[in-house]
Amino acid sequence: GVGGGGGGACDAGGQTTLHVVERNIDPRYDWNEWSLRRKALQLANLHTKRTHSTQTDVSHYRREAETQVYLPRAGVTQTGVERGTRPVKHMLFLSGLRGHPDQETAAVRADIDLQ
C-alpha cells in the first residue's frame, strides 16, 4: 500500500466548519430600497448647503466667559433646638358672634406653641 509499509487500515476523518464567518462583510451595506433613497436624498441635499461662520474676524476670542458661583456662607451655625423652625403662632379669635343679639363680642388672643 501507500506509505511503505504494513498493509494496515487507517481511520481518517474530515469535518466542515459550522457557521462560517466571512471576512468580507461590509457594515455599510444596505439592501432596503427606502433607506437607500433616504441616503441619496440626504447626499443630494448636502450639495445645496454651505457652511458659515458664526463669528467674524472682529469678534474672534472676545466671547464673555463668566461663571456663576454660590460662595459658602460665613458663620453658619446649626443647633438641635427647633425653636426657630417652629415659632409660636399668635391667633386672634372673636367670641360672642353667635347667640343672643344683645351679647357683647370680645377679642380673645391665643398664643399657640406647636412644640
Side-chain angles (χ1 to χ4, degrees), residues 4 33-34 36 49 54 70 73 106 109:
E33 183 179 351
W34 292 107
L36 291 174
K49 309 292 188 223
T54 57
Y70 292 101
R73 295 181 189 174
R109 187 174 302 267

Side-chain angles (χ1 to χ4, degrees), residues 16-55:
T16 59
T17 56
L18 187 64
H19 303 299
V20 178
V21 178
E22 297 184 18
R23 299 185 191 277
N24 59 353
I25 296 176
D26 187 10
R28 294 175 294 160
Y29 176 75
D30 198 1
W31 58 269
N32 190 353
E33 183 179 351
W34 292 107
S35 64
L36 291 174
R37 286 176 186 251
R38 188 181 330 109
K39 288 179 185 177
L41 286 173
Q42 287 174 354
L43 289 175
N45 284 336
L46 283 179
H47 289 294
T48 61
K49 309 292 188 223
R50 71 179 181 97
T51 58
H52 59 278
S53 176
T54 57
Q55 286 187 335

Side-chain angles (χ1 to χ4, degrees), residues 39 42 58-59 61 70 73-74 98 111:
K39 288 179 185 177
Q42 287 174 354
V58 178
S59 68
Y61 291 122
Y70 292 101
R73 295 181 189 174
R98 295 185 181 185
D111 296 333

